[in-house]
Amino acid sequence: MIENKNKEKIHEGLKKYWGYGSFLPLQEDVILSMLENEDSLTVLPTGGGKSLCFQLPALLKEGMAVVVSPLISLMKDQVDNLKDMGVPSCYLNSSLSVKEQRSAVEQILKGDIKILYLSPERLENEETIELLRSVALSFFIIDEAHCISHWGHDFRSSYRNLKMIKERFKDISVHAFTATATKEVQKDIIAQLGFTEPKILIGSIDRPNLTYRVMPRSNILKQIKEILQKHNNEAGIIYCLRRKDVDSVSEDLMKLGIDNVRYHAGMTDKDRRLAQDRFAREEVNIVVATVAFGMGIDRSNIRFIIHAGMPKSLEHYQQETGRAGRDRLPAFCYMFYGGADFRLWSYFAEESSEKETIMKKLRAIYDFCVKPQCRHKVLSNYFGEYYGKNSCDSCDYCLTELDMVNDSLNVAQQILSCVIKVRQERYGFGTGHVVNVLRGKATEKIENLGHHKLSTFGIMKEETENYVWYMVEQLTGQGFLLKDSEYLTLSVTEAGRQLLNSEITPVLIKPVVAARKKDIAKKATEKRDSEWAEVDQDLFQVLRRKRAELAREKSVPAYIIFSDKTLRDIAAREPLTIDDFSVIYGVGENKLRAYGNIFIKTVMDYKQKSEEV
Ligand code: ADP
């Protein structure tokens, strides 16, 4: 009975404040358990709607909710967002002036605040604890809860202290949220927070709206340019492994007339903040960055992520690609990898006390790159989840963009035996030389060494250099060949010997040739056109500009005003009255009051102009 009543209440709240018609998977369960005051741990992927899971019950319950978040830069955005929806909220962290702080405390003491954001450091402070003990609290939220665990990838020492919440606030429930948590991390979170019988709610980590493509790197600038052409006018992040790569890619794009901002830890705080703000307010669409960029960014309409190099683990890949398509509209992830990335990360691993764990993770992501399989499936399985679909329809493998080599065993055996044949007793040769021998290119070096007399000389003469090179890369990636870390010379591994004995067959893919590329691009365009069939794309761009203008005026990120999904709905339905506007996706009561007339006018002006033309 109570549950039914609560259900009704939360559906009403969802429509009233957010303007959404239904819950996303697991949201309802999470919210209901919060209304029942049970401690809980929720794992939901990025874009799964975690914020709403605690913001909605915070509005319905008596007292103030306290949200512990590690990201000071995000607190302001979250609070701006809530205020824009008409929810009284504030934050306390080191970025506030003494005056601002005093004003926030006054509002809290008066009972005017429904949601308070706090940095974990603040909770180490006795004054803050006394403040919280003097007002009525609804519950505590631990956001980005994986930061509590040594096993996670963003460990924060101040998160270790959060156990005191259960000790000092005995009757208040605590709810932990994270996007990525392996079983180990989940256990650690529960133990560290001192939960006894928590409710555990785990959502699927799969992101069906993301399309993954993984390709070997060749001319990276050309490869990036090709992708940018497909995503004209859309927002994206280009991740590079090193700061100097960020600088050079950013500069090269500028020279090509492609506006972008840079972001890495070598820049001043001010410059980084500026870059982030320009991106969040939609003044610029492209960020070229190291992994330092992203934690504090909530822009929900990032349509593509390009990895110019391979990240060091699938955890990182999942988190970085996770920044795309938070609005659940289609988004695209492209990764360009090379053996050099593997060597770079192995080199760093050498110095670590956790070398074995790091190498295990590195091998897993390298496998992901070089073994053609359904990308969604590999990612799901890696995070311990069963993937039930036969085809995801949204990765290069399932979209059959990868052409398999039919006689892969034969091709691999030719290459491996060539590596053995050219190898001298003490030293071997690099990929370039092996490729030349296989293709029968009689270079001076080959003739001097007498390698033109080997039986493998010219055995692959029909193939292009790019093709043979790519096969060697894959065989190295799959562990049949080993590249010496210093001299880059090739040798055959134990697994390679098994392959030569025909005990194992490798999976090899052909490089994508120009004609096939065209075909793939055509299919992608057709798919995109069908997704936009109902939407007036010109109007959508006009609405985007209006949103950017409002964001600038209010000094808030553009997504706070409306998401792309909302703009698309406006561009499809073209509302001309407040009544029409009230049924638009993502328009709650406050937004209707604040922006209804402004956007209706934009639609009217647009229609009038189109009729005049
Ligand atoms: P997370 O923190 O899990 O990454 P967010 O809280 O940022 O996800 O939510 C992602 C997007 O989904 C936001 O734009 C949010 O408003 C939207 N969203 C949340 N819940 C719903 C819902 N029930 N229906 C539609 N959109 C939703």
Side-chain angles (χ1 to χ4, degrees), residues 14 18 20-24 27 44-55 78 81 143-144 179 298 300 322 326-328 559 563 565 585:
L14 183 70
W18 278 269
Y20 297 145
S22 58
F23 284 106
L24 299 175
Q27 276 183 328
L44 266 182
T46 315
K50 284 185 286 298
S51 314
L52 189 145
C53 285
F54 53 79
Q55 289 169 348
Q78 294 260 6
N81 196 10
D143 204 6
E144 311 284 353
D298 240 3
S300 64
R326 284 174 95 115
D327 51 13
R328 287 174 312 286
Y559 76 88
S563 72
K565 234 177 164 166
Y585 175 93

Side-chain angles (χ1 to χ4, degrees), residues 94-119:
S94 55
S95 76
L96 292 183
S97 67
V98 176
K99 202 170 147 214
E100 287 169 325
Q101 200 141 292
R102 209 174 295 135
S103 145
V105 170
E106 267 169 28
Q107 288 183 70
I108 293 169
L109 287 172
K110 267 202 256 162
D112 285 350
I113 297 293
K114 282 311 284 177
I115 304 181
L116 165 70
Y117 281 80
L118 271 187
S119 59

